[in-house]
Amino acid sequence: MLRPTKLLTADPTLTVREIMNGDEPAVHVDTPDTEVARSFLERDLISALVINDDGCLVGRITIDDVVEVIIKD
């Protein structure tokens, strides 16, 4: 898991992808919400990083966001 301290103290020229371990769940910012929800269900996630095309962190999605998508559908 990518700890916030590790992210905040890392070299700012590195991308999130370079800092995090390979097991850290991340989704691309343009991933459709239903695909994100499916990934959360299949991987039993409670949160995941959201990254852009450059691998830069743009946010985080949590299970409560995913529940809204599931209920909506």
Side-chain angles (χ1 to χ4, degrees):
M1 176 175 208
L2 180 60
R3 303 277 182 222
T5 304
K6 183 176 181 183
L7 182 62
L8 294 172
T9 59
D11 180 344
T13 63
L14 296 174
T15 65
V16 172
R17 187 180 323 248
E18 293 170 313
I19 298 168
M20 64 189 213
N21 68 39
D23 296 342
E24 184 67 27
V27 295
H28 187 270
V29 68
D30 292 330
T31 304
D33 56 359
T34 53
E35 189 176 323
V36 172
R38 188 176 313 108
S39 179
F40 266 63
L41 289 171
E42 291 171 355
R43 298 171 65 192
D44 199 26
L45 301 175
I46 57 170
S47 70
L49 301 176
V50 180
I51 57 173
N52 64 16
D53 289 333
D54 298 321
C56 295
L57 177 67
V58 295
R60 182 179 74 140
I61 188 163
T62 59
I63 191 66
D64 59 311
D65 301 314
V66 173
V67 168
E68 289 179 25
V69 171
I70 294 169
I71 290 172
K72 180 179 77 175
D73 286 345

